[in-house]
Amino acid sequence: MASSVATSDASDLCYSGLLLNLLWSKSTFMDRWSGILKVPLFKGSRGLYKVAASLCISSSSQIPIVPSMNAIFFNGDRVKGTGNPVIERLSDLEKIGEIMVSKLGENVNVWVIEASKFNGPFAVYKDFIPSVNKWGEPTSYDPTGFPASNSLVSLLSSCLTEAKNILSSKVVEPISTEPPISCFSQPKTYLFGFSKGGTIINQLVTELAFSQVTIPSHSQNKNEIIPTSKETLLNSVTEIHYIDVGLNSNGAYINDQNVIEKISKRVLEVGLRLRFVLHGTPRQWRDSMRVWIGNEKDTMIRLLNDVCKKSDEKLMVCERFYFANNHANMQMHFEVIEKMDIS
């Protein structure tokens, strides 16, 4: 997953970095730290976000190092008291983090984010989508002010600071603060939205569509573990995964043709690939009481396919349906997290 180095002068350094990355996979230079963080969005904020983090750290210095990718997973509503061991296990943020690492590889940082506010079982991501009602359902996706990307950058910064504090408190002997050499100067970003977490993905897609295209210089973003601005965040997004998303109202998927066309135009201008993957089960896509979910999914697939044909293979879309021969139930809704194919 290492990114290539464009200049020949840097080839030796990159080759060394690639060798080190192979060694990291054998845990020679890289360890992994995992834990639950409870952090404010901004300093002084009242609500705390619960985030399961699984991070690459240096085995020598015990500090976070630059990964190949940041995988950011937004969770949905709470489901409690089902008595179903599969649902209970896959409702655990740390377990989700473990699954994501197993799918993406050891050189990835995973952040599994839970809403800071709930109305009963309903997740309310008000900081990310200002238009949401009291049940956390958006009335619109508006890029004005870039609330989701700015909030995500701030939240990741708070999480990384807290993780560093935890790690430093565990170190007894003085250590070097220099991490191993890495070719991962700017990690990619993969976005995942599960169930209602898909609304955050919709907001981020809308903001991506209306964001200004910037081409970073080779000196920018060097050794950034996480994106430090909305520009670096949005420029780094290469994959977007919808995981059995659905709402009790409209808005589970982006159906705005203008947004999709702007995404296509942006991809062509930047020259980087962007892939959408829609994962679904009968629980959402065949719900006879909420037929709009399947209809919105079909519309988004159609809109994306239309622009993919003009994108010179820079924009891709993939639809994956799981448990197709099973009757819809709640277990499959959670089980798709474990079963989903992200290759």
Side-chain angles (χ1 to χ4, degrees):
M1 292 183 182
S3 57
S4 61
V5 176
T7 63
S8 58
D9 292 339
S11 60
D12 289 342
L13 175 60
C14 188
Y15 181 71
S16 299
L18 289 170
L19 287 177
L20 281 171
N21 291 334
L22 291 174
L23 291 170
W24 286 353
S25 67
K26 298 178 181 179
S27 300
T28 303
F29 292 107
M30 188 190 78
D31 286 334
R32 179 164 292 278
W33 175 86
S34 300
I36 292 289
L37 307 172
K38 293 184 179 180
V39 298
L41 182 61
F42 301 104
K43 188 176 181 180
S45 297
R46 293 171 60 186
L48 295 180
Y49 280 84
K50 183 179 177 182
V51 180
S54 183
L55 311 180
C56 303
I57 63 171
S58 165
S59 59
S60 60
S61 64
Q62 295 295 292
I63 62 175
I65 56 177
V66 179
S68 65
M69 172 203 313
N70 283 293
I72 304 164
F73 185 108
F74 290 94
N75 212 19
D77 294 336
R78 288 173 174 164
V79 177
K80 292 185 176 181
T82 64
N84 184 311
V86 175
I87 294 175
E88 296 299 321
R89 180 170 57 87
L90 296 173
S91 295
D92 182 85
L93 301 187
E94 287 189 280
K95 182 59 183 178
I96 294 172
E98 292 174 11
I99 291 170
M100 299 308 295
V101 171
S102 73
K103 291 179 180 293
L104 295 167
E106 288 296 319
N107 289 332
V108 61
N109 282 353
V110 172
W111 314 86
V112 183
I113 300 169
E114 184 177 80
S116 65
K117 181 180 178 181
F118 284 81
N119 180 4
F122 301 111
V124 182
Y125 283 100
K126 187 74 172 179
D127 296 315
F128 289 79
I129 313 174
S131 74
V132 295
N133 61 23
K134 63 181 181 179
W135 296 286
E137 297 171 340
T139 58
S140 65
Y141 296 109
D142 186 348
T144 304
F146 296 87
S149 48
N150 281 319
S151 292
L152 182 53
V153 167
S154 182
L155 182 60
L156 290 177
S157 177
S158 295
C159 286
L160 184 59
T161 298
E162 180 64 14
K164 286 179 176 179
N165 290 338
I166 293 171
L167 286 164
S168 64
S169 69
K170 296 179 181 295
V171 175
V172 178
E173 299 178 1
I175 56 173
S176 167
T177 59
E178 291 296 322
I181 297 171
S182 171
C183 271
F184 304 140
S185 59
Q186 185 182 8
K188 299 175 183 178
T189 298
Y190 280 24
L191 299 173
F192 297 83
F194 169 62
S195 197
K196 187 181 282 180
T199 61
I200 314 300
I201 305 303
N202 287 336
Q203 179 65 32
L204 286 166
V205 168
T206 303
E207 293 177 19
L208 180 64
F210 285 87
S211 64
Q212 183 177 359
V213 174
T214 58
I215 308 299
S217 68
H218 292 297
S219 61
Q220 285 181 307
N221 312 321
K222 187 67 176 176
N223 295 326
E224 285 188 353
I225 294 172
I226 56 171
T228 56
S229 69
K230 74 175 190 299
E231 290 80 13
T232 55
L233 169 65
L234 295 173
N235 283 337
S236 69
V237 174
T238 56
E239 293 211 4
I240 298 170
H241 293 257
Y242 290 78
I243 309 170
D244 216 29
V245 305
L247 293 171
N248 292 323
S249 63
N250 294 324
Y253 292 93
I254 289 288
N255 281 183
D256 188 327
Q257 183 174 358
N258 186 39
V259 168
I260 300 299
E261 288 179 350
K262 283 182 176 292
I263 287 286
S264 176
K265 181 180 178 182
R266 191 182 196 282
V267 166
L268 286 171
E269 289 179 359
V270 174
L272 298 176
R273 284 183 167 82
L274 177 63
R275 185 169 76 132
F276 286 83
V277 186
L278 279 60
H279 309 268
T281 74
R283 164 71 183 178
Q284 302 284 38
W285 290 0
R286 290 181 180 169
D287 188 342
S288 61
M289 301 297 291
R290 297 180 298 164
V291 294
W292 59 83
I293 297 175
N295 292 339
E296 287 179 352
K297 180 268 298 181
D298 290 341
T299 298
M300 185 174 182
I301 291 288
R302 176 179 57 78
L303 292 173
L304 283 168
N305 276 326
D306 287 346
V307 295
C308 283
K309 297 172 185 176
K310 310 169 189 176
S311 71
D312 194 26
E313 298 185 347
K314 296 292 191 302
L315 186 64
M316 295 164 282
V317 59
C318 181
E319 177 183 0
R320 290 179 176 154
F321 192 40
Y322 307 82
F323 311 108
N325 297 322
N326 295 9
H327 292 294
N329 57 59
M330 183 62 76
Q331 178 174 312
M332 67 173 54
H333 177 58
F334 284 84
E335 200 170 1
V336 71
I337 296 172
E338 199 162 43
K339 298 295 185 183
M340 68 174 173
D341 177 4
I342 60 177
S343 62

